[in-house]
Amino acid sequence: MQVAPSILSADFGHLARDVEAICEGGCDLVHVDVMDGHFVPNLTIGPVVVSAVAKAATKPLDIHLMVENNTFFVDLFAPLKPAFISFHIEEEKHPHRLIQKIRSLGIRPAIVLNPHTPPESIEFLLEDVDMVLLMSVNPGFGGQKFISSVVEKAQRLKSLIEKKNPKCLIEVDGGVSDQNIHLLKEAGVDVVVAGSFVYKHPKGIKTAIDALK
Ligand code: DX5
Ligand code: ZN
């Protein structure tokens, strides 16, 4: 299982330290939640802060856009050379065009589905993306309760992916812990995002990452 800790749960007063800690703790990706206060009722960080994150990180960035104007934000973050940029399908009229744009910038495109969005809705985009991110909470905040219907959704997505694009990864984001990780693994999930479980673990960041792996 690949682990992408969400820096939303980091101490923003010591952001570089907390980014270094997850990289040294063995994470695979650094998950960055970008929220615009419109698509979700919360605001987070822009390119100035994310460039400081990129400087501190020794692992690739996984940028999760929770915004209304995806194209504008892709242009804003592309110079930071993240490994992945993911955008919400619920907010995009021309997903195929946006996927091509992200790829043309040398970044791996990914699509995000909110908890209610069926995997079949992106069946004809699967061959064009490198990853699908399934939300297991309502996007906007860390520390929420895991929505367990994501397990069945991951299974359904996995069988579509096997038909359309077996190399496409499945990522799950929200409420992930050592209590539900085995269900996600069995369902075919490749990457988990975890914010509070990693940053607030009583035995520290490395123990938390090891437990998920
Ligand atoms: C929620 C974000 C998540 C969040 C995960 O909108 O996309 O990445 O930070 O945090 P936990 O693991 O605490 O649910
Ligand atoms: Zn996220």
Side-chain angles (χ1 to χ4, degrees):
M1 183 65 85
Q2 294 189 51
V3 178
S6 164
I7 58 164
L8 194 58
S9 296
D11 176 352
F12 275 68
H14 299 94
L15 190 53
R17 179 200 69 190
D18 280 6
V19 170
E20 285 160 12
I22 54 174
C23 293
E24 283 162 16
C27 76
D28 298 282
L29 294 165
V30 174
H31 187 82
V32 178
D33 289 304
V34 174
M35 306 184 188
D36 68 348
H38 295 280
F39 179 65
V40 286
N42 196 6
L43 259 181
T44 57
I45 50 180
V48 173
V49 177
V50 179
S51 71
V53 172
K55 221 183 264 175
T58 53
K59 301 290 171 68
L61 300 192
D62 173 30
I63 296 186
H64 173 190
L65 298 179
M66 284 160 272
V67 301
E68 278 189 351
N69 189 345
N70 285 308
T71 306
F72 171 79
F73 282 89
V74 166
D75 284 329
L76 219 50
F77 287 102
L80 303 178
K81 305 261 174 260
F84 291 95
I85 291 185
S86 58
F87 65 88
H88 276 260
I89 194 68
E90 299 85 6
E91 195 50 51
E92 189 50 54
K93 283 200 193 91
H94 303 290
H96 196 262
R97 179 183 292 151
L98 183 61
I99 288 164
Q100 285 174 339
K101 178 183 171 74
I102 294 170
R103 204 178 282 290
S104 75
L105 292 164
I107 300 162
R108 303 178 73 185
I111 296 181
V112 196
L113 306 187
N114 268 337
H116 73 285
T117 306
E120 290 75 16
S121 65
I122 56 159
E123 179 174 358
F124 297 104
L125 291 169
L126 283 177
E127 53 195 286
D128 300 301
V129 292
D130 287 0
M131 185 161 77
V132 177
L133 170 49
L134 301 178
M135 291 308 299
S136 40
V137 295
N138 291 298
F141 303 93
Q144 302 180 80
K145 189 175 175 290
F146 182 78
I147 298 172
S148 56
S149 59
V150 76
V151 174
E152 184 192 334
K153 191 147 95 173
Q155 288 164 344
R156 269 165 54 180
L157 176 63
K158 183 74 182 170
S159 50
L160 288 173
I161 279 179
E162 273 163 5
K163 271 192 276 170
K164 299 279 183 177
N165 178 9
K167 285 198 190 130
C168 179
L169 301 170
I170 303 179
E171 184 178 41
V172 168
D173 182 3
V176 173
S177 73
D178 56 357
Q179 300 302 298
N180 46 41
I181 190 88
H182 58 289
L183 297 172
L184 297 174
K185 184 70 196 171
E186 279 165 25
V189 173
D190 305 284
V191 188
V192 287
V193 177
S196 39
F197 181 75
V198 168
Y199 276 109
K200 315 256 183 273
H201 197 286
K203 292 191 180 151
I205 286 170
K206 188 174 167 15
T207 308
I209 293 173
D210 284 347
L212 295 175
K213 282 186 168 282

